[in-house]
Amino acid sequence: FVQLDLDEESSNFVENSMNRPYSATWCWIRGMLTKLVSRYEADGILNMSRMHVLSTDHWKQILRLPIDHERKGTSVLDVGAGDGFVTTACAPLFQNVTATESSPALCWRLWWRGFQTVRTGDLKTSGLCNKSHDIVACFNVLDRVDYPTALLKDLKSCTKDDGRIVLAVVFPFCPAVMMANGSRAPKEKLPIPGCCDGSTDHSWEDCMNALVKKVLWPLGFEIDAIARVPYLSHGDNIRGLYTLDDAILVLRPNRETEIKTPLCLP
């Protein structure tokens, strides 16, 4: 377990959110847009998807990078990168940074930030599943896709044999696929306690144990490090800051131990 503290970069995000929240007018416009497109697409159009999970120093800590870390020749792939706020924190540590998104508006935001951007909702057809990346990041996406097991397998396929995957998952686990006028349940349900089982008394540790033992280990992932951090979202006219409870897992792919049977619940 890696203990991460509230550092200057994280504090600055909190201060900026509290002092400059989105106005009621912008929130109303976003609400109107979500009648036509998903919340993610609306946020991308209006530049209202500012979020913070890890600072650059936090990245160094969870990856245990040496002081003399050499970025030359290294690569990171951020899957479901949103508007790039999260990607920006890890970018200084790598020479090559690639980000993916399915939203056209968010892809434009990523391109505008200077990242090599791939618009796709399916890694298999994107040409990225070639075991070529040192680090593959996937932050708060597992609970927003129809087939999370397939996503995890694809993340492994994007990673070098000696590479690592940095996964962020919100607990309690409340999966939902975002769409215009709201959301719907995903087509696959992972065996992780949370909102879907109607229970509210599962601890963070219960969720973590289920994710590791029932999902990640059977899929051939080894746990390299674990951390717990707040997932921060920029505030609005109702609240100055929104927070969720994020689990950060650094995973190593083990391609010899993967179980081929399905993991999803009936």
Side-chain angles (χ1 to χ4, degrees), residues 6-78:
L6 181 66
D7 59 10
E8 182 178 1
E9 189 177 329
S10 304
S11 296
N12 288 342
F13 182 90
V14 172
E15 183 177 351
N16 182 65
S17 176
M18 299 294 288
N19 292 336
R20 301 178 63 186
Y22 300 129
S23 69
T25 300
W26 282 108
C27 292
W28 179 84
I29 295 172
R30 179 171 62 186
M32 293 298 101
L33 269 178
T34 56
K35 297 180 183 298
L36 304 173
V37 298
S38 72
R39 170 68 179 268
Y40 294 134
E41 188 74 16
D43 282 344
I45 293 170
L46 299 174
N47 195 22
M48 293 177 67
S49 55
R50 298 173 188 172
M51 299 176 183
H52 178 83
V53 182
L54 298 175
S55 67
T56 303
D57 190 57
H58 289 157
W59 274 94
K60 293 178 182 178
Q61 292 180 63
I62 63 168
L63 294 176
R64 297 185 175 92
L65 297 180
I67 296 177
D68 58 348
H69 167 66
E70 177 57 65
R71 65 192 294 268
K72 183 178 180 180
T74 59
S75 63
V76 61
L77 170 66
D78 191 358

Side-chain angles (χ1 to χ4, degrees), residues 130-235:
N130 52 11
K131 301 180 183 179
S132 63
H133 296 89
D134 296 289
I135 300 294
V136 175
C138 186
F139 278 26
N140 306 306
V141 178
L142 197 66
D143 58 350
R144 292 293 179 261
V145 295
D146 270 318
Y147 300 104
T149 299
L151 173 61
L152 289 168
K153 291 180 178 180
D154 290 344
L155 295 177
K156 183 191 288 188
S157 297
C158 295
T159 311
K160 291 180 178 179
D161 288 338
D162 61 348
R164 286 175 287 179
I165 297 160
V166 184
L167 186 69
V169 185
V170 171
F171 292 150
F173 193 68
C174 298
V177 177
M178 307 303 290
M179 53 193 299
N181 280 318
S183 62
R184 59 171 175 79
K187 295 177 180 178
E188 177 192 53
K189 180 181 176 183
L190 292 180
I192 305 173
C195 302
C196 290
D197 61 8
S199 176
T200 59
D201 59 354
H202 293 294
S203 67
W204 188 91
E205 291 77 10
D206 291 335
C207 296
M208 174 63 80
N209 283 331
L211 174 62
V212 171
K213 294 179 179 179
K214 297 180 180 180
V215 179
L216 297 178
W217 281 350
L219 286 176
F221 291 102
E222 298 176 356
I223 312 302
D224 191 57
I226 291 174
R228 183 177 185 177
V229 298
Y231 173 23
L232 306 176
S233 297
H234 197 90

